[in-house]
Amino acid sequence: MRKIRNSCAHNERVYCLTRKCEQRGRSGRILEKYFRMLSRGYARDLDQRLFDLIVYFKYFLPKTEYKQFISDLKVMLSDLQSRIHPHAFEYVHTQMGIKNLSDLDTLLNIPKDEIEYNKFDK
């Protein structure tokens, strides 16, 4: 999140930000269970991308805010898709880590677990 925030503050592109795997087999990604509920390619990718943050927001944002966030994101992506060449748009959404735009709807429809702040895993 810090890297994305800093890029936004300095008017840099954020769609192509990645964090590469620094050690073989260890990506540093937090493979939240929502990744496993999407197509297998999401859990297999070793690089952190913007989509990881979109998935993490599902866990941390209230359901109504997350629904609005996804809705706004889809509107922006749809607008972009209508303005640029199809190959350029494919490049942008894959650089973001979104393999298929319908995965945003799938992610939205996955039931959300409530955060239990006062409980620890046993």
Side-chain angles (χ1 to χ4, degrees):
M1 285 177 69
R2 182 180 68 239
K3 187 175 182 179
I4 292 170
R5 181 253 172 241
N6 289 341
S7 293
C8 290
H10 296 284
N11 293 320
E12 298 172 356
R13 291 181 299 203
V14 295
Y15 75 87
C16 58
L17 289 178
T18 60
R19 183 170 164 217
K20 300 285 183 190
C21 176
E22 296 170 5
Q23 294 179 344
R24 187 168 177 83
R26 301 177 81 194
S27 67
R29 289 180 74 207
I30 302 170
L31 286 176
E32 180 60 49
K33 70 177 187 173
Y34 299 123
F35 285 107
R36 293 187 296 273
M37 296 179 182
L38 298 167
S39 64
R40 294 196 320 207
Y42 288 105
R44 289 183 179 171
D45 192 3
L46 295 180
D47 297 334
Q48 290 179 325
R49 299 192 183 277
L50 190 58
F51 187 70
D52 289 39
L53 192 58
I54 295 167
V55 172
Y56 302 153
F57 281 164
K58 178 163 180 77
Y59 184 72
F60 290 109
L61 291 177
K63 187 185 286 186
T64 56
E65 289 180 29
Y66 189 72
K67 185 176 182 178
Q68 184 63 48
F69 167 70
I70 293 294
S71 175
D72 292 346
L73 178 61
K74 286 171 43 180
V75 166
M76 288 186 279
L77 287 171
S78 178
D79 182 48
L80 181 65
Q81 186 175 24
S82 69
R83 293 173 182 254
I84 64 176
H85 190 276
H87 294 297
F89 180 71
E90 182 177 343
Y91 176 79
V92 169
H93 79 76
T94 55
Q95 286 296 304
M96 291 175 68
I98 302 172
K99 298 183 184 321
N100 190 327
L101 294 181
S102 65
D103 292 332
L104 294 173
D105 292 322
T106 303
L107 185 60
L108 186 61
N109 292 322
I110 294 172
K112 179 184 178 344
D113 289 340
E114 295 301 319
I115 300 174
E116 297 182 27
Y117 293 102
N118 297 322
K119 290 191 176 185
F120 296 99
D121 292 337
K122 293 181 181 182

